[in-house]
């Protein structure tokens, strides 16, 4: 079920009303009220997920059960060694499932290619279960955190299943930590008016970014990337820039809808994007892009490897490991690994010179506009990100090289291809609107979290209505699947 | 608090719905997707239907139909015809059109163009085309809501406004020539160009993934035709050789379609070169005439049989 579908528009209000009116209010006297409400969350989440393919529900249930069981076994283990064994068993099991579905065919094909043997009868050719990388990582973080003593193992299997399968963030994150999300399923949720209203605003802003910006960019991007050899340099540049906004609008839009939806149910999810294209260097970009995954790798891979508090050669090794693994997490394709390596190369000089935490505050803090230096830094970082996205979006590494070579051409200064001038102007206008609103709101959680004391009701309502209108009028002809669903 | 939230939300939705309808009606003239004159000339075609009762042949299908069967060529052979093709018409839209017009037109024979690509389309473009160009009735509304596409719903809102407030079906006369396409009475659209398919342009390799819902709709269309005892022929119009060979699992598609009735793939009957096409999919006038003469022979053969 897509967030931007009619099915979800029907599903969400039904689940919302049942959640608060049936499972919270009418059975509030029951001592099992919390369990029943959590069971309802699990049921609704399984319906949401099963809409794609119900067969993979078994896989989620299996992952959830094993991780829940491993948590209990780690908790009960008499020695640290035994606890470690249970934790590793859970890690191997979960990563094994992930590897089987996501990477097995890739490795077989690559090995077969390397040793010139046929893949006949060796490939599994299984469909990749939606969101498997997201919920697997969420399950892993639980057993690791239990082992580290950051969280006590829970006996409440229903709450645990709800934690793994909570539908707003099940298929594309944010990848929640058990320390944040699980306790919320172990206590009674309260309906808060401000929270719910803010959730609705965040959903609206997410829909704007997805439907108005990302989906309309996709039309141009798909056309150009599929015929890049025939396009002018300016068209290639335009498509690369549009893809940069498409992937941001698509993924951060999804995250906003997920976080906003969770708020309606009294659940607070972690922030996943923090205006990454306003970053002044690539290190800041990575603190603001896909925060839940970046911090996951930081906490569970980078720091255990020694992080940056080791010799310089090991820092280089750790940085490459983290970026290559992060790239590979996105999918079984060399382009993702190359994208990770590209970012590692950009990141290394900063970490080796100790400048990777130079910009931890918000750009132009306390000011309305950035300085010229900040503008230059942001444009350079943006440009570096654009090049990275070309590698990410291309079908093969060779395609990405040819694409980048195609950019460096005299035709870079020609007028880019446009399907129609009107649609092109509308698209650029929508992107500019998103940039301006996010700039003004850069210190807030999302684009529409307007300060009531600063913005009058008429201005706020006017903006909400305008954004809603754009969502429902400026849709592209075809609903585009969320990019991160494939990961 | 919950009551306050729900009431405010309801109020917002009501204000928004009114604003939405007003804005869609106001911006409609500037949105190609909503307008009747968006290409394909279906508006003129549906207006002509009352003038074409009991034709010898009725043509159905996508642009391959309305750009591929020229009634003037059939007239010369003494065959009266009408073309009910429309832009990207998928079997789902064919079904709606047949339900609305088959009993009114009462053709003696039907030629149904089955271009494989339409079987993998969601039908959004074609649904919007039908809404903006045809009389809106309950079947069209049902199809619009079934599509679940907001842009189609917007087209429906604008279409209802055009039809019932502005009475467009009685006041608008669609231009005969739109973007180099000339409407020819009888439903045909002639491409006014001498250009032919260029050799150097790349042609996409395509795999045909038939959507189950399109295949079921196709089955229902055939059933509807058979229920009325109308003989029919399923055809695939000639394609440029490169396009034809780039349809990877074409044989699989042909085998599936052939289970529904008599099927002729004219790519096997006629070998046309690139000078007979104006783009990677469509015949130009020279190609249409060659194709139609060939079809007439087949048609006469089938009818006499």
């Amino acid at each position: 079920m897509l967030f931007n579908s009619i099915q979800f528009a029907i599903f969400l209000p039904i689940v919302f009303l049942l959640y608060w009116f049936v499972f919270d209010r009418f059975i509030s006297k029951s001592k099992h009220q919390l369990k029943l409400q959590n069971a309802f969350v699990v049921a609704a989440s399984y319906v949401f997920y099963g809409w794609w393919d119900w067969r993979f529900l078994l896989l989620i249930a299996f992952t959830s059960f094993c991780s829940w069981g491993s948590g209990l076994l780690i908790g009960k283990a008499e020695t640290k060694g035994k606890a470690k064994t249970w934790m590793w068993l859970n890690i191997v099991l979960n990563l094994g499932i992930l590897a089987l579905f996501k990477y097995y065919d890739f490795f077989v094909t690559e090995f077969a290619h390397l040793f010139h043997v046929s893949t006949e009868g060796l490939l599994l050719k299984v469909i990749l279960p939606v969101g498997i990388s997201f919920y697997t990582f969420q399950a892993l973080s639980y057993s690791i955190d239990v082992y580290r003593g950051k969280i006590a193992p829970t006996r409440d299997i229903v709450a645990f299943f709800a934690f793994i399968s909570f539908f707003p963030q099940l298929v594309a994150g944010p990848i929640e930590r058990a320390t944040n999300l699980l306790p919320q399923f172990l206590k009674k949720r309260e309906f808060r008016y401000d929270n719910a209203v803010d959730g609705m605003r965040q959903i609206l802003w997410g829909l704007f970014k997805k439907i108005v910006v990302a989906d309309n960019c996709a039309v141009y991007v798909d056309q150009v990337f599929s015929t890049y050899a025939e396009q002018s340099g300016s068209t290639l540049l335009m498509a690369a820039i549009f893809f940069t906004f498409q992937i941001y609008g698509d993924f951060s839009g999804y995250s906003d809808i997920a976080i906003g939806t969770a708020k309606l149910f009294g659940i607070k999810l972690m922030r996943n994007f923090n205006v990454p294209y306003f970053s002044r260097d690539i290190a800041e970009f990575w603190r603001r892009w896909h925060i839940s995954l970046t911090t996951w790798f930081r906490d569970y891979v980078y720091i255990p490897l020694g992080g940056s508090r080791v010799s310089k050669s090991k820092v280089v090794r750790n940085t490459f490991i983290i970026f290559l693994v992060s790239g590979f997490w996105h999918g079984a394709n060399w382009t993702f690994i190359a994208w990770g390596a590209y970012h590692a190369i950009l990141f290394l000089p900063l970490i080796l010179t100790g400048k990777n935490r130079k910009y931890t505050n918000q750009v132009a803090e306390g000011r309305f506009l950035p300085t010229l230096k900040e503008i230059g830094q942001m444009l350079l970082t943006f440009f570096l990100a654009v090049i990275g996205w070309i590698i990410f979006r291309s079908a093969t590494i060779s395609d990405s090289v040819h694409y980048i070579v195609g950019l460096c051409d005299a035709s870079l200064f020609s007028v880019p291809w446009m399907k129609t001038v009107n649609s092109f102007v509308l698209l650029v206008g929508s992107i500019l609107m998103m940039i301006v609103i996010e700039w003004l709101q850069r210190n807030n959680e999302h684009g529409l979290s307007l300060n009531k004391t600063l913005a009058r009701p008429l201005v706020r309502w006017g903006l909400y209505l305008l954004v809603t209108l754009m969502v429902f009028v400026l849709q592209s002809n075809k609903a585009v699947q969320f990019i991160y669903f494939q990961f | 608090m919950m009551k306050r939230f729900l009431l405010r939300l309801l109020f917002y939705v009501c204000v928004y719905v009114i604003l939405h309808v007003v804005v869609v009606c106001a911006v409609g003239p500037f949105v190609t997707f909503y307008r009747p004159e968006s290409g394909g000339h279906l508006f003129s075609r549906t207006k002509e239907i009352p003038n074409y009762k009991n034709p010898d042949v009725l043509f159905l299908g996508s642009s391959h139909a309305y750009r591929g069967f020229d009634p003037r060529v059939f007239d010369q052979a003494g065959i009266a015809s009408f073309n009910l093709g429309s832009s990207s018409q998928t079997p789902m839209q064919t079904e709606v059109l047949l339900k609305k017009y088959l009993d009114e037109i009462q053709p003696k024979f039907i030629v149904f163009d089955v271009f494989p690509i339409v079987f993998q389309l969601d039908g959004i473009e074609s649904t919007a085309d039908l809404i903006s160009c045809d009389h809106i009735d309950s079947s069209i509304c049902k199809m619009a809501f079934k599509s679940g596409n907001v842009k189609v719903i917007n087209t429906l809102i604008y279409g209802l406004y055009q039809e019932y407030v502005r009475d467009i079906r009685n006041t608008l006369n669609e231009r005969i020539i739109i973007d180099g396409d000339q409407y020819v009475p009888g439903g045909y659209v002639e491409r006014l160009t001498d250009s032919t398919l260029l050799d150097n342009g790349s042609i996409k390799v395509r795999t045909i993934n038939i959507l189950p819902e399109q295949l079921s709709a196709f089955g229902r269309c055939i059933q509807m035709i058979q229920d009325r005892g109308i003989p029919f022929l399923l055809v695939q119009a000639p394609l440029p050789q490169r396009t034809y060979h780039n349809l990877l699992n074409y044989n699989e598609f042909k085998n599936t379609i052939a289970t529904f009735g008599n099927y002729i793939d004219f790519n096997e009957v006629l070998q046309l070169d690139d000078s007979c096409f104006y783009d990677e999919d469509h015949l130009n006038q020279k190609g249409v005439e060659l194709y139609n003469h060939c079809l007439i022979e087949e048609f006469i053969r089938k009818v006499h049989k």
Side-chain angles (χ1 to χ4, degrees):
Chain A
M1 204 182 291
L2 290 172
F3 279 163
N4 53 337
S5 66
I6 298 267
Q7 290 93 326
F8 186 71
I10 297 166
F11 171 85
L12 182 60
I14 293 173
V15 174
F16 175 81
L17 293 174
L18 288 172
Y19 180 87
W20 290 114
F21 285 100
V22 177
F23 292 94
D24 190 67
R25 192 166 296 183
F26 295 136
I27 52 172
S28 59
K29 283 170 189 163
S30 163
K31 63 176 181 177
H32 299 299
Q33 183 252 340
L34 188 62
K35 252 198 171 71
L36 284 168
Q37 200 182 36
N38 284 339
F40 175 67
V41 169
V42 176
S45 300
Y46 277 39
V47 168
F48 176 84
Y49 190 87
W51 213 263
W52 278 290
D53 199 327
W54 59 269
R55 290 170 301 176
F56 293 126
L57 287 174
L58 284 174
L59 200 62
I60 298 187
F62 181 71
T63 298
S64 306
F65 183 78
C66 292
S67 300
W68 173 75
S70 81
L72 286 181
L73 291 167
I74 292 166
K76 277 184 186 168
E78 291 146 6
T79 62
K80 194 82 181 161
K82 275 187 181 171
K84 200 173 187 174
T85 309
W86 288 120
M87 177 192 74
W88 274 108
L89 266 176
N90 189 48
I91 292 174
V92 169
L93 184 76
N94 276 304
L95 290 183
I97 294 171
L98 183 65
L100 188 74
F101 280 95
K102 196 166 176 174
Y103 302 108
Y104 174 81
D105 281 0
F106 172 75
F107 281 117
V108 170
T109 311
E110 291 304 311
F111 276 112
H113 187 67
L114 196 67
F115 297 109
H116 304 288
V117 290
S118 164
T119 55
E120 187 87 34
L122 292 174
L123 298 178
L124 291 176
K125 290 179 183 169
V126 284
I127 316 165
L128 182 68
V130 177
I132 188 168
S133 310
F134 291 90
Y135 68 73
T136 299
F137 272 45
Q138 196 156 306
L140 288 180
S141 78
Y142 169 74
S143 54
I144 299 172
D145 283 350
V146 170
Y147 171 75
R148 288 178 178 176
K150 283 189 175 176
I151 187 170
T154 180
R155 290 186 161 277
D156 188 339
I157 190 168
V158 181
F160 188 80
F161 269 57
F163 154 68
I164 295 289
S165 66
F166 186 44
F167 72 89
Q169 45 89 243
L170 172 61
V171 288
I175 302 166
E176 273 298 339
R177 306 300 174 78
T179 44
N180 175 46
L181 187 54
L182 187 55
Q184 297 186 63
F185 283 110
L186 295 171
K187 64 176 189 208
K188 187 173 158 50
R189 271 83 64 183
E190 297 283 340
F191 178 83
R192 292 209 170 89
Y193 175 80
D194 287 341
N195 217 15
V197 170
D198 194 50
M200 291 302 292
R201 287 189 201 121
Q202 196 161 359
I203 291 172
L204 180 58
W205 186 240
L207 287 172
F208 173 83
K209 288 199 276 187
K210 165 65 181 160
I211 293 170
V212 180
V213 176
D215 287 0
N216 283 304
C217 282
V219 177
Y220 191 95
V221 170
D222 291 348
Q223 175 78 25
V224 175
F225 270 81
S226 62
T227 55
Y228 73 90
E230 297 157 20
Q231 305 294 345
S232 67
S234 57
T235 305
L236 294 178
L237 179 65
M238 212 63 239
I241 292 172
F242 281 158
F243 181 66
T244 303
F245 286 110
Q246 182 197 343
I247 195 158
Y248 172 67
D250 193 283
F251 194 22
S252 75
Y254 178 91
S255 298
D256 277 334
I257 300 168
I259 296 166
T261 306
K263 281 179 184 169
L264 293 177
F265 295 89
I267 299 280
K268 186 162 173 49
L269 299 180
M270 72 181 291
R271 193 173 185 181
N272 215 14
F273 288 86
N274 184 2
V275 285
Y277 294 148
F278 297 146
S279 302
R280 286 154 288 184
D281 62 28
I282 217 73
E284 188 183 10
F285 173 82
W286 278 106
R287 276 193 296 278
R288 295 170 181 277
W289 179 272
H290 201 176
I291 298 165
S292 64
L293 181 72
T294 313
T295 53
W296 198 100
F297 278 121
R298 182 197 65 198
D299 294 345
Y300 299 111
V301 182
Y302 187 67
I303 291 174
L305 285 171
S308 55
R309 293 178 182 174
V310 283
S311 66
K312 287 209 168 170
S313 61
K314 282 188 175 167
V315 170
V316 173
R317 180 201 68 183
N318 294 349
T319 306
F320 265 96
I321 287 175
I322 198 92
F323 276 103
L324 292 178
V325 170
S326 173
F328 201 46
W329 175 90
H330 286 84
N333 194 330
W334 289 107
T335 51
F336 297 127
I337 297 170
W339 173 73
Y342 167 79
H343 275 281
I345 292 166
L346 297 179
F347 195 87
L348 263 180
L350 295 172
I351 200 160
L352 290 175
T353 53
K355 288 180 180 168
N356 59 313
R357 297 195 65 80
K358 195 174 170 189
Y359 301 114
T360 50
N361 61 342
Q362 197 64 264
V363 65
E365 207 167 35
R367 282 176 283 126
F368 184 67
L369 291 171
T371 61
L372 277 177
K373 185 187 168 193
E374 285 169 337
I375 292 173
Q377 288 172 321
M378 284 190 286
L379 284 176
L380 178 65
T381 311
F382 181 78
F383 172 74
L384 294 173
V386 169
I387 300 296
W389 291 128
I390 292 174
I391 303 169
F392 188 94
R393 174 62 176 76
S394 297
T396 63
I397 293 180
S398 148
D399 281 342
S400 66
V401 172
H402 287 125
Y403 192 105
I404 293 166
V405 169
L407 279 173
C408 314
D409 187 86
S411 61
L412 183 63
F413 304 101
S414 61
V415 178
W417 168 78
M418 307 167 210
K419 199 170 182 183
T420 63
V421 177
N422 285 355
S423 61
F424 190 83
V425 170
L426 265 175
L427 179 56
V428 173
S430 307
I431 293 172
L432 286 176
M433 182 174 160
M434 178 180 78
I435 294 172
V436 170
I437 290 181
E438 294 226 319
W439 175 261
L440 296 173
Q441 293 291 99
R442 65 191 183 281
N443 291 313
N444 294 324
E445 197 186 345
H446 59 88
L448 295 182
S449 54
L450 298 178
N451 189 332
K452 279 186 183 176
T453 52
L454 292 176
R456 293 180 178 187
L458 203 65
V459 175
R460 280 187 282 128
W461 272 65
L463 183 63
Y464 303 149
L465 287 170
L466 175 70
V467 172
T468 317
L469 261 176
M470 291 179 82
V471 166
F472 285 103
V473 175
L474 297 181
Q475 287 210 339
S476 76
N477 291 0
K478 201 176 175 191
V480 183
Q481 179 106 321
F482 286 92
I483 295 172
Y484 267 70
F485 276 21
Q486 61 186 298
F487 307 139
Chain B
M1 284 216 286
M2 175 66 88
K3 196 177 162 190
R4 187 177 161 215
F5 173 73
L6 292 175
L7 285 175
R8 280 217 161 189
L9 191 61
L10 189 67
F11 178 67
Y12 182 83
V13 170
C14 291
V15 171
Y16 177 72
V17 168
I18 295 166
L19 182 73
H20 183 90
V21 172
V22 171
V23 169
V24 166
C25 295
V27 302
F30 309 103
V31 184
T32 320
F33 201 78
Y34 302 166
R35 289 202 315 253
E37 289 190 300
S38 59
H41 291 272
L42 184 61
F43 187 83
S44 302
R45 203 170 290 124
T46 54
K47 268 182 106 170
E48 275 197 328
I49 288 175
N51 309 332
Y52 286 86
K53 297 284 166 68
N54 276 120
D56 296 316
V57 193
L58 174 71
F59 299 109
L60 298 171
S62 63
S63 56
H64 288 254
Y66 73 75
R67 291 179 189 278
F69 305 114
D70 186 344
R72 294 170 299 190
V73 179
F74 286 84
D75 267 346
Q76 284 167 8
I79 300 164
S81 65
F82 184 71
N83 202 317
L84 199 54
S86 65
S87 292
S88 303
Q89 186 185 107
T90 73
M92 285 182 193
Q93 285 77 44
T94 313
E95 187 185 6
V96 172
L97 284 168
L98 285 177
K99 275 183 188 164
K100 280 181 80 169
Y101 296 117
L102 188 57
D103 291 334
E104 188 183 337
I105 299 173
Q106 293 188 326
K108 297 184 185 102
F109 194 88
I110 287 176
V111 173
F112 197 154
D113 181 274
V114 280
F115 182 49
I117 299 301
V118 298
F119 281 77
Q120 60 182 24
L121 297 179
D122 54 12
I124 298 300
E125 187 189 337
S126 182
T127 304
D129 190 34
L130 265 186
I131 295 167
S132 56
C133 297
D134 197 2
H135 163 64
I136 299 174
D137 62 3
S138 62
S139 65
I140 294 226
C141 291
K142 214 168 127 185
M143 182 177 62
F145 286 112
K146 216 174 156 186
S147 77
N149 183 288
V150 176
K151 222 161 177 178
V152 169
I153 306 292
N154 288 344
T155 311
L156 180 68
I157 294 169
Y158 186 65
L160 287 167
Y161 164 72
Q162 289 276 72
E163 185 162 353
Y164 294 104
V165 180
R166 296 190 62 205
D167 193 22
I168 196 156
R169 291 200 70 77
N170 291 320
T171 55
L172 177 76
N173 282 312
E174 192 177 38
R175 284 175 293 154
I176 291 173
I177 298 174
I178 301 173
D179 298 334
D181 286 338
Q182 178 178 300
Y183 183 74
V184 174
Y188 176 65
V189 173
E190 181 182 345
R191 184 76 167 174
L192 300 175
T193 177
D194 294 328
S195 67
T196 56
L197 180 65
L198 294 171
D199 291 334
N200 53 4
S202 67
I203 292 179
K204 269 192 284 185
V205 175
R206 293 184 279 195
T207 308
I208 307 155
N209 299 308
I210 301 177
L211 293 178
E213 54 269 36
Q214 292 293 9
L215 199 62
S216 339
F218 183 69
R220 288 193 297 273
C221 291
I222 299 297
Q223 192 59 52
M224 216 185 302
I225 295 167
Q226 284 174 334
D227 288 348
R228 283 156 181 79
I230 304 169
F232 66 94
L233 179 65
L234 306 171
V235 297
Q236 163 64 66
L239 293 166
Q241 291 298 309
R242 283 178 290 159
T243 305
Y244 186 63
H245 293 302
N246 282 358
L247 290 168
L248 291 185
N249 50 345
Y250 190 58
N251 280 335
E252 207 178 297
F253 172 80
K254 281 202 295 197
N255 293 339
T256 308
I257 293 303
T259 60
F260 289 91
N262 284 330
Y263 171 72
I264 301 175
D265 176 5
F266 276 88
N267 292 286
E268 290 169 357
V269 181
L270 268 177
Q271 303 291 322
L272 300 179
D273 61 31
D274 283 359
S275 69
C276 295
F277 299 89
Y278 74 83
D279 69 10
E280 64 180 66
D281 280 338
H282 299 99
L283 293 158
N284 58 21
Q285 193 57 28
K286 177 186 162 192
V288 167
E289 286 175 17
L290 288 169
Y291 171 41
N292 286 185
H293 284 301
C294 187
L295 179 65
I296 287 166
E297 282 174 29
E298 280 296 324
F299 170 71
I300 291 168
R301 208 158 51 82
K302 293 268 171 205
V303 170
H304 284 291
K305 219 170 156 185

